[in-house]
Amino acid sequence: MSNKKVHNAHIRTRLPALHRALIEIVGVINRPERDEALLGAAGLPLERALFPLLVLVERLGPIGVVDLAGRVGRDHTTVSRQIARLAELGQVTRHGGATDRRVREATITPSGEDATDAIDRARATMAVGLFKDWDKADFDQLVRLLGMLAEDMTRPPEKNA
């Protein structure tokens, strides 16, 4: 058997365990109480549903509402209302897109940056507690491998994989 076939067979054998781990991680990340704990630790009285949108606008903005909706798995009309709410709170600004004025984009404001900075500090504190018993090499390997996975997952799927 060729090395490629052995490698592919190994991947197929280990995929269920990887899939279970990813489902568990996503499930924990998506739990409302996790977001509420993070917002509480950051000292932000922000509505829980607005929190991931604010963070994504800060990380990826300016970003269109349709793109943002796809990233959070929500309807674009819902996200549009939520971005309007963040604009009312002074956390983001809304404007026509740089290349297409029909596209509505959101950009973080200085107040929104202050909020995401507080979230980042709270997240770092929580993460230090989570990883306190990990050795440096294991943590570094996790960061490297998750970076590889994220990069590979952003590429379009191969037709005949």
Side-chain angles (χ1 to χ4, degrees), residues 96-160:
T99 58
D100 184 347
R101 289 289 187 201
R102 296 171 295 175
V103 173
R104 299 294 294 166
E105 290 184 335
T107 303
I108 199 80
T109 64
S111 176
E113 284 186 23
D114 290 345
T116 58
D117 288 348
I119 290 167
D120 289 344
R121 286 189 299 274
R123 184 181 289 117
T125 298
M126 293 170 116
V128 167
L130 177 66
F131 294 111
K132 72 180 183 302
D133 295 329
W134 287 48
D135 72 39
K136 183 182 180 311
D138 286 344
F139 181 77
D140 289 348
Q141 185 173 12
L142 174 68
V143 171
R144 183 181 66 78
L145 293 174
L146 283 176
M148 285 175 53
L149 177 62
E151 184 177 324
D152 287 348
M153 288 181 77
T154 60
R155 288 197 298 255
E158 294 180 22
K159 295 281 185 204
N160 297 317

Side-chain angles (χ1 to χ4, degrees), residues 31-99:
R31 289 192 177 153
E33 58 270 14
R34 299 289 279 202
D35 288 351
E36 290 168 7
L38 187 57
L39 288 168
L44 296 175
L46 191 64
E47 299 163 42
R48 190 189 62 75
L50 303 180
F51 153 66
L53 299 174
L54 179 65
V55 171
L56 286 174
V57 169
E58 190 272 332
R59 299 296 191 266
L60 305 173
I63 185 169
V65 170
V66 173
D67 185 12
L68 192 55
R71 289 174 182 269
V72 295
R74 298 182 197 160
D75 180 79
H76 77 277
T77 58
T78 299
V79 170
S80 182
R81 283 192 304 273
Q82 292 169 330
I83 290 296
R85 179 70 181 128
L86 284 169
E88 289 171 9
L89 295 170
Q91 304 294 303
V92 303
T93 58
R94 297 182 326 157
H95 48 83
T99 58

